[in-house]
Amino acid sequence: MAGFTNYAFRQIVREYGGVGLHATEMVNARGFVWLDENEAEHPDRLWGVREEARPLAVQIWDNQPDVMAKVGKRLVDDYQVSVVDINFGCPVKQVTEKAHSGSYLLKHPKTMYEIISRLVEACAPTPVTAKIRLGCTRNNVNCDDVAKVVEEAGAAALTVHGRTAQDFFSGNADWDRIAEIKQHLRSIPLIGNGDLDSADKVVAAFENYGVDGVMIARASLGRPWLFAQAHAALRGEPIPAEPTLELQRQCMLRHYDMIVERFGEAKGTVLMRKFACCYAQGKFGARHFRTHVARVSSASEFYSVVEEYFPRDLDAIEAAAQ
């Protein structure tokens, strides 16, 4: 997830455990090549990739097979990544309409085939995977045909988000439609994605829809412990309870410290605003906290707002009032 699944977030998730394969933010292949050719620092989205634990996937996007192959090979040879994943699912206009990439390419299976096959050849023996949506629009759901193309091109696995690009993130993911894709694949794993915001839903995805794996994305942004809960549920073990609000606050502060260490206080504080809002989401007092944290620009302001406004346990508030 662009702007979110950076090294700091991945480290926080690792503290809780439960993830089988971590993935980076999606990287623009053409931008990577420009930075490389101009001897500039590689994208911030590759922050920490060389040093962190494996397995680790890097997701890349573009519409030029040669460029994608060049970047994929560099990721394998230089960064030694575990998986190179291709984004054919992003619905954002900057990627689709302006760059003719992401989910735009679902309308062009031949180009998808060229990109995948070139990457498979360039990255061997490192596996290349692909992520798609059901289609570009609800009137053009072509995921079955696209799935065949992905497998024929040599991809090692297919991830499907259960919405069309037209849907963005509205409505509900169509897991029945994801399940139907399985019959069109000969041997590669099918990974389902969409609306997995609880351990119970993860278990149900495996039991009811025949997928070989699941991908959790947005639901984890303010709940990095969700993976550990899902992992326990799949193993038939007791599901870890949600951390107390105080522990969640401490987690958010560790996250902030890593962001600031990388980007400096001024930029890091601004970047942390969105993460802080995620940690507060769905909690009593979240709106009030968001209003204040959205304006912080220094460490002192951030710590002050967290201390005063970050949601607190309702029982503790009631006890203090009595």
Side-chain angles (χ1 to χ4, degrees), residues 138-259:
R138 299 181 199 107
N139 294 325
N140 186 20
V141 173
N142 63 339
C143 49
D144 296 339
D145 292 335
V146 168
K148 295 176 185 176
V149 168
V150 169
E151 183 166 33
E152 290 169 0
L158 172 67
T159 300
V160 182
H161 181 95
R163 292 179 174 86
T164 67
Q166 178 186 19
D167 296 325
F168 275 75
F169 296 101
S170 64
N172 298 317
D174 188 344
W175 277 84
D176 288 320
R177 195 65 191 81
I178 293 175
E180 291 176 15
I181 297 171
K182 184 71 174 178
Q183 63 186 307
H184 299 283
L185 298 174
R186 295 190 303 271
S187 60
I188 67 172
L190 174 65
I191 301 166
N193 171 235
D195 300 345
L196 297 178
D197 57 7
S198 71
D200 289 341
K201 287 185 179 180
V202 171
V203 172
F206 283 100
E207 292 181 346
N208 300 332
Y209 301 106
V211 293
D212 303 294
V214 298
M215 177 181 286
I216 299 175
R218 289 179 300 149
S220 69
L221 290 179
R223 300 172 58 213
W225 45 86
L226 175 59
F227 300 98
Q229 293 174 323
H231 184 257
L234 289 170
R235 294 168 63 90
E237 299 171 353
I239 299 174
E242 292 281 305
T244 65
L245 287 179
E246 173 58 24
L247 289 175
Q248 293 183 39
R249 186 181 71 88
Q250 292 175 16
C251 173
M252 181 181 65
L253 292 176
R254 289 198 304 278
H255 195 158
Y256 176 62
D257 289 343
M258 282 190 279
I259 294 288

Side-chain angles (χ1 to χ4, degrees), residues 30 60-69 86-88 95-96 99-120 128 130 132 142 145-146 148-150 152-155:
R30 218 173 305 181
I60 60 177
W61 66 272
D62 199 81
N63 61 3
Q64 297 183 3
D66 290 346
V67 172
M68 292 285 274
I86 309 170
N87 184 298
F88 293 121
V95 173
T96 57
H100 289 176
S101 301
S103 60
Y104 173 89
L105 291 171
L106 295 174
K107 297 181 291 186
H108 302 279
K110 289 184 179 179
T111 302
M112 291 180 62
Y113 183 93
E114 293 175 13
I115 290 172
I116 296 168
S117 59
R118 288 294 306 279
L119 266 170
V120 168
V128 173
I132 67 170
N142 63 339
D145 292 335
V146 168
K148 295 176 185 176
V149 168
V150 169
E152 290 169 0

Side-chain angles (χ1 to χ4, degrees), residues 22-84:
H22 290 259
T24 67
E25 304 170 80
M26 64 181 193
V27 175
N28 173 226
R30 218 173 305 181
F32 181 101
V33 170
W34 185 92
L35 290 171
D36 206 32
E37 291 177 347
N38 288 273
E39 298 182 352
E41 183 179 1
H42 282 181
D44 277 331
R45 294 181 179 181
L46 293 177
W47 165 33
V49 167
R50 283 195 177 94
E51 297 82 21
E52 70 183 286
R54 285 346 187 221
L56 178 69
V58 173
Q59 187 182 80
I60 60 177
W61 66 272
D62 199 81
N63 61 3
Q64 297 183 3
D66 290 346
V67 172
M68 292 285 274
K70 183 175 182 178
V71 172
K73 183 170 177 55
R74 184 65 184 275
L75 289 171
V76 169
D77 293 345
D78 187 6
Y79 288 83
Q80 299 182 335
V81 301
S82 311
V83 175
V84 176

Side-chain angles (χ1 to χ4, degrees), residues 261-301:
E261 183 178 359
R262 167 66 178 181
F263 297 104
E265 180 180 337
K267 182 178 180 180
T269 300
V270 172
L271 289 174
M272 189 63 194
R273 292 171 181 173
K274 60 189 176 186
F275 287 108
C277 291
C278 290
Y279 279 105
Q281 186 174 351
K283 299 177 176 63
F284 178 79
R287 175 182 288 185
H288 204 47
F289 174 71
R290 287 197 303 269
T291 299
H292 288 83
V293 83
R295 297 196 293 262
V296 297
S297 58
S298 67
S300 60
E301 290 177 355

